[in-house]
Amino acid sequence: MKKHNFYPLFCKIQQYAWGKFGTNSIAGKLWSSNQDKILDSNTPYAEFWVGDHPNGPSEVGLKSKKVTIPEFFSQDLSLLGPSILNFTNNEPRLPFLLKVLSINKSLSIQSHPDKKLAKRLHSQRPEIYKDPNHKPELAIALTYLEAFVGFRDPLEIYNNLMNYQPCKDLVGVELVNNLKKQISNKDGKAVAKTLKEIFKAISTAKADIVSTKADELIELIHNKSENEFTSDEKLILRLNKQFPGDVGIFLSFLMKYRHLKPNQAIFIGPNTAHNYLAGEIIECMATSDNVIRAGLTPKYKDVEQLIEMLDYDILGKPSNQIMDGVEIEKGIFQYKIPVQDFLVQIIHMGKNQTLQLPTSHSSSVFLLLNGTISNKDQDQQKYSSGTVWFIPQDSEINISSHDQTVLAVQAMLGKN
């Protein structure tokens, strides 16, 4: 078996407004350690990126200098390895991007196109949709995570519309009655059609009407005593503080409210409405910029496109499932997903343990999230949290922990 060096990576931070501030941000602390930078308590540190995305390519630490990952690969294509080169049709790039997100307030309500739609949108509007790729993603909770992923059960949507008059007003009585009838008839296609019309009625309502109805909704909730608030109502109040009078407040009545514990994960495929609300996660995705938004954001919204692309066929079907990792070897957990663009494994080690990472079928990136490790094969240096490596295909990597437990993540190409 070949033994290869690993290559240290120095990675970028994204300071989006929704990020956590200063040392409250895991993403920020990883970047601070990785780049030997001091965090500013008044700056939001939202996303720590590991990969070769053009908006934030990592740099490879060589003996005499640092070069970007694209430059590194251009010097020797074999570093990417045959598996990735075959997947990318010999394009010198990583097909995945690994991130850590620290979420202080809601991201936008959004979805990502499948490959067919992505190609069409890129062809028609390349200034907005900058690549022809899809963007499936996996979120693994580092802390307790709140998110919207997919639609609620149709009956729950109906009950929400009936229980909150301002939302019912936006939708209209006819659509609400149609939904109830179609649910009773167990007519999945009709439910999907009506749900699409309901989503459209809310998301295309005039801004002044939405704002007025949002005020009515907040007043309706505040008419109850605080100890009677449901979890949905507490969230609506929070969202209204973050984005006063935003249409996303009403879209939340349609979307499934998820709660993930640390190490739990959820896969988000194409044409699925979602957004992260609070918490910190590991996220891995196919490398793409294609995001289509409809609410809870000051960014560009393409509401009509989102309405047309979403999958509303949900009656009697399992929604996006929260999953646990599968332990493939002691302390190594993989998350099974239906795409080949990436595969993620979480590594847990106790104190003073040694572990050989499974020899990867593709080149990979490795991020140490917590603890201190040494690499027995390359040197005796101690590596702390924020350490990132690029590991070539077929490498043997033996790591040892010290006086702390270790948490790490490794991303690679998925298997056929």
Side-chain angles (χ1 to χ4, degrees):
M1 183 67 66
K2 294 180 180 179
K3 292 186 178 181
H4 295 283
N5 292 337
F6 56 81
Y7 298 87
L9 295 182
F10 299 92
C11 305
K12 299 293 173 40
I13 194 77
Q14 304 292 350
Q15 298 174 352
Y16 305 139
W18 50 260
K20 291 192 174 185
F21 287 79
T23 56
N24 290 321
S25 166
I26 292 177
K29 288 191 288 187
L30 291 170
W31 173 75
S32 173
S33 177
N34 178 260
Q35 294 275 10
D36 194 23
K37 300 285 189 180
I38 296 174
L39 296 175
D40 180 354
S41 61
N42 296 314
T43 298
Y45 298 96
E47 298 189 1
F48 181 65
W49 285 18
V50 180
D52 59 0
H53 192 289
N55 291 345
S58 302
E59 293 180 308
V60 183
L62 303 178
K63 289 183 180 180
S64 59
K65 61 179 179 178
K66 294 178 183 177
V67 299
T68 65
I69 283 191
E71 291 175 294
F72 179 64
F73 293 151
S74 68
Q75 294 173 12
D76 185 356
L77 265 184
S78 68
L79 290 165
L80 266 171
S83 295
I84 286 180
L85 287 171
N86 182 61
F87 183 80
T88 64
N89 294 316
N90 289 315
E91 291 183 39
R93 64 177 180 86
L94 290 171
F96 53 82
L97 178 64
L98 180 67
K99 300 180 179 181
V100 173
L101 276 63
S102 294
I103 304 155
N104 187 49
K105 66 178 185 178
S106 176
L107 279 68
S108 59
I109 293 175
Q110 61 186 257
S111 186
H112 310 299
D114 57 28
K115 283 187 176 181
K116 183 179 179 181
L117 178 57
K119 288 179 181 178
R120 179 167 64 80
L121 292 174
H122 177 62
S123 174
Q124 293 173 344
R125 287 182 283 170
E127 73 284 1
I128 296 173
Y129 301 105
K130 297 181 180 180
D131 62 80
N133 200 19
H134 66 167
K135 194 181 178 184
E137 59 191 46
L138 178 73
I140 305 170
L142 285 171
T143 64
Y144 183 79
L145 172 69
E146 296 174 74
F148 286 136
V149 183
F151 288 113
R152 298 174 189 254
D153 178 85
L155 185 57
E156 186 179 359
I157 292 173
Y158 170 77
N159 289 334
N160 279 341
L161 297 175
M162 292 299 294
N163 291 338
Y164 298 94
Q165 186 65 42
C167 192
K168 185 178 179 182
D169 291 343
L170 284 180
V171 171
V173 174
E174 183 178 354
L175 285 178
V176 176
N177 290 340
N178 285 347
L179 182 63
K180 174 63 173 176
K181 179 181 177 181
Q182 291 150 6
I183 293 170
S184 299
N185 293 337
K186 298 181 179 179
D187 188 340
K189 289 185 178 180
V191 167
K193 183 176 182 294
T194 299
L195 180 55
K196 180 179 180 180
E197 291 171 345
I198 289 170
F199 190 93
K200 181 177 181 178
I202 294 175
S203 57
T204 60
K206 292 182 179 180
D208 59 338
I209 296 175
V210 171
S211 179
T212 298
K213 292 299 173 184
D215 290 341
E216 293 176 9
L217 175 63
I218 300 307
E219 183 180 359
L220 181 66
I221 294 172
H222 278 305
N223 284 338
K224 301 167 65 173
S225 62
E226 191 170 334
N227 61 6
E228 294 178 320
F229 291 167
T230 67
S231 60
D232 282 329
E233 289 169 343
K234 291 176 183 177
L235 176 60
I236 286 165
L237 294 176
R238 200 169 85 215
L239 292 177
N240 191 62
K241 285 184 179 180
Q242 294 174 7
F243 298 94
D246 191 274
V247 69
I249 296 164
F250 292 100
L251 292 176
S252 71
F253 283 114
L254 311 182
M255 297 176 65
K256 192 166 181 66
Y257 190 16
R258 308 299 185 105
H259 306 267
L260 278 69
K261 299 176 183 177
N263 297 313
Q264 290 186 320
I266 192 163
F267 175 75
I268 303 170
N271 306 324
T272 300
H274 65 280
N275 71 321
Y276 303 128
L277 299 163
E280 299 186 89
I281 64 172
I282 299 162
E283 185 182 59
C284 196
M285 62 182 64
T287 303
S288 173
D289 277 328
N290 288 321
V291 180
I292 302 173
R293 302 176 181 89
L296 300 178
T297 180
K299 295 182 179 180
Y300 173 75
K301 302 175 188 178
D302 192 350
V303 175
E304 293 298 330
Q305 183 59 64
L306 190 68
I307 292 167
E308 290 304 314
M309 69 182 286
L310 292 179
D311 180 7
Y312 303 94
D313 189 10
I314 59 172
L315 184 64
K317 295 183 178 180
S319 55
N320 302 67
Q321 298 298 306
I322 295 172
M323 70 180 94
D324 295 308
V326 176
E327 192 168 20
I328 60 166
E329 293 185 21
K330 184 173 176 56
I332 300 176
F333 297 82
Q334 284 187 354
Y335 295 84
K336 305 298 184 182
I337 59 174
V339 297
Q340 194 189 349
D341 301 72
F342 58 88
L343 175 68
V344 180
Q345 58 189 29
I346 300 295
I347 299 146
H348 295 268
M349 296 176 67
K351 299 176 183 178
N352 302 309
Q353 289 187 351
T354 297
L355 175 71
Q356 180 173 318
L357 299 180
T359 304
S360 174
H361 59 279
S362 85
S363 299
S364 64
V365 294
F366 173 95
L367 166 60
L368 180 59
L369 295 157
N370 187 66
T372 304
I373 61 173
S374 298
N375 185 295
K376 294 294 185 182
D377 296 324
Q378 184 158 333
D379 54 36
Q380 293 303 314
Q381 181 178 340
K382 287 186 177 181
Y383 296 92
S384 59
S385 60
T387 292
V388 187
W389 296 333
F390 172 79
I391 302 175
Q393 183 172 338
D394 296 327
S395 298
E396 285 183 354
I397 300 289
N398 293 287
I399 56 177
S400 295
S401 61
H402 297 280
D403 56 356
Q404 293 178 290
T405 59
V406 164
L407 178 65
V409 57
Q410 190 175 14
M412 64 201 76
L413 188 69
K415 298 177 182 178
N416 286 320

